[in-house]
Amino acid sequence: MSRTVGQIGADVEAASRWLAGRVVRTPVLRSPVIDELAGARVLLKAENLQHGGSYKMRGALRAVGRLAAAGHSGVIAQSTGNHAVAVAMAARQHGLAATVVLPVDAAPTKVDRARAAGARVVFAGTDVKERVALANALSDESGHPVIDAYDHPDVIAGQGTASLELIEDAERAGTPLDALVVPVGGGGGVAGGCLAAAGSGIEVYGVEPVGCDSLARSLAAGVRVPVAPAPTIADGLRPSCVGELPFAIVRDTLRGVVRVDDDEIAAAFRLVLTELKVLAEPSGAAGLAGALRLAPEGDRQRTVGVVLTGGNVEAALVARLMAPRSGDLTREGAAA
């Protein structure tokens, strides 16, 4: 771990300054219907409108930019999709070669985006260990560094700038955040959120799909606990284990983790599309699903910020999630 947690915290503000003008300062959205369901004021940071369709562009651009400045000619990344797309786009901007390793069941939309950005795309099974092994082998062969999707200080700092902007915009609007909610895959985004909120008194929560809850189990055990990820519509939230650096950051700062099931994620997805009129992928909508469980009844003055982390979703999945259904959102549940 080349940089301390404190140094990475300072890096979030430095990354924010460096990224200004290089990424979209995405809007903060609000819906009276969502406020009513939550029993609180809910502010949603629309990172689904970011370059590349997700907040992963922030960390990728910061990491690739620093590697380009250091003289590297290429980069390698592995992910379930959004990080790979972002690294490919960032590499193209800086004139670097990019190779991305994706699972064989990666969403075609994300595969196509990575290729469109000029990346060489290779596939490796369905397990993160297979992708990591191949990425490392390709790095050894080419000499190009691997930019990890979440266990990388520049990626964490870059991802944290989305939460920092949300905190700043809420403050400027006169509705400062009481809580911040970020979906959790490998933990880079929620770690960045913790760093962005440090010293503010804002409670930070992570959200994991049921059965993909490495962070929740790790916090309970005090050490990182791997899981065999369960099937979920939130394809970006199923790494087998929270990252080492993210866990070091969040273990003493995160207020809790909310577990949500696919029905809750789907309901949140529909709310985002019908009430906010924007398209978020299920992984991005998971944050709202968690926020709807967290917000206390009747505290209308409480403000909860949610990072809608991405919007790269297959048309067929959109159609399936929007099909006629029975049931509705529930606010039952608890933070781990």
Side-chain angles (χ1 to χ4, degrees):
M1 196 177 299
S2 59
R3 270 175 268 177
T4 67
V5 170
Q7 287 171 326
I8 299 170
D11 285 350
V12 174
E13 293 192 1
S16 183
R17 292 190 295 270
W18 188 85
L19 288 169
R22 291 181 168 95
V23 297
V24 178
R25 190 173 182 111
T26 53
V28 176
L29 309 177
R30 186 179 173 194
S31 157
V33 171
I34 292 174
D35 286 358
E36 182 66 26
L37 284 168
R41 183 186 297 113
V42 181
L43 306 180
L44 298 108
K45 176 74 165 167
E47 283 294 297
N48 53 311
L49 302 178
Q50 187 55 258
H51 295 315
S54 84
Y55 80 150
K56 294 287 187 177
M57 192 66 196
R58 296 173 178 270
L61 197 57
R62 181 61 166 160
V64 171
R66 290 169 70 103
L67 289 171
H72 289 277
S73 61
V75 291
I76 295 170
Q78 69 78 24
S79 80
T80 56
N82 281 339
H83 176 68
V85 170
V87 168
M89 293 180 66
R92 182 176 61 182
Q93 287 187 31
H94 286 279
L96 273 61
T99 299
V100 299
V101 183
L102 296 172
V104 294
D105 58 353
T109 295
K110 296 175 182 179
V111 176
D112 291 344
R113 280 186 173 237
R115 284 182 171 144
R120 172 193 174 201
V121 177
V122 295
F123 298 95
T126 58
D127 185 86
V128 65
K129 291 180 181 179
E130 296 173 276
R131 298 197 305 274
V132 169
L134 180 54
N136 289 337
L138 292 170
S139 177
D140 291 341
E141 177 185 307
S142 66
H144 297 160
V146 175
I147 301 176
D148 194 89
Y150 42 83
D151 221 346
H152 190 292
D154 290 327
V155 169
I156 291 171
Q159 256 71 302
T161 64
S163 292
L164 182 62
E165 288 180 7
L166 175 54
I167 292 167
E168 292 173 344
D169 289 349
E171 186 76 31
R172 290 194 190 103
T175 54
L177 298 187
D178 297 294
L180 172 67
V181 183
V182 186
V184 176
V190 75
C194 285
L195 294 172
S200 67
I202 297 170
E203 300 172 350
V204 183
Y205 294 87
V207 180
E208 292 182 303
V210 171
C212 302
D213 53 350
S214 173
L215 178 55
R217 297 187 194 192
S218 299
L219 290 172
V223 294
R224 293 192 303 146
V225 177
V227 298
T232 176
I233 59 173
D235 67 311
L237 305 182
R238 52 183 176 90
S240 60
C241 191
V242 63
E244 180 182 1
L245 183 52
F247 184 63
I249 292 169
V250 308
R251 63 185 305 171
D252 296 320
T253 55
L254 194 67
R255 181 61 180 268
V257 179
V258 183
R259 297 175 175 92
V260 293
D261 62 30
D262 273 5
D263 286 344
E264 291 171 294
I265 295 171
F269 168 90
R270 290 190 289 270
L271 272 175
V272 171
L273 186 56
T274 59
E275 299 301 327
L276 299 178
K277 313 305 180 188
V278 296
L279 181 64
E281 61 190 279
S283 297
L288 175 57
L292 289 168
R293 283 191 167 214
L294 280 175
E297 290 282 351
D299 189 358
R300 301 292 173 177
Q301 298 308 307
R302 180 173 168 87
T303 304
V304 179
V306 177
V307 182
L308 294 175
T309 51
N312 294 322
V313 58
E314 297 297 307
L317 180 57
V318 175
R320 178 161 67 86
L321 294 178
M322 294 303 294
R325 68 275 172 193
S326 60
D328 200 359
L329 279 168
T330 175
R331 286 198 295 260
E332 295 178 358

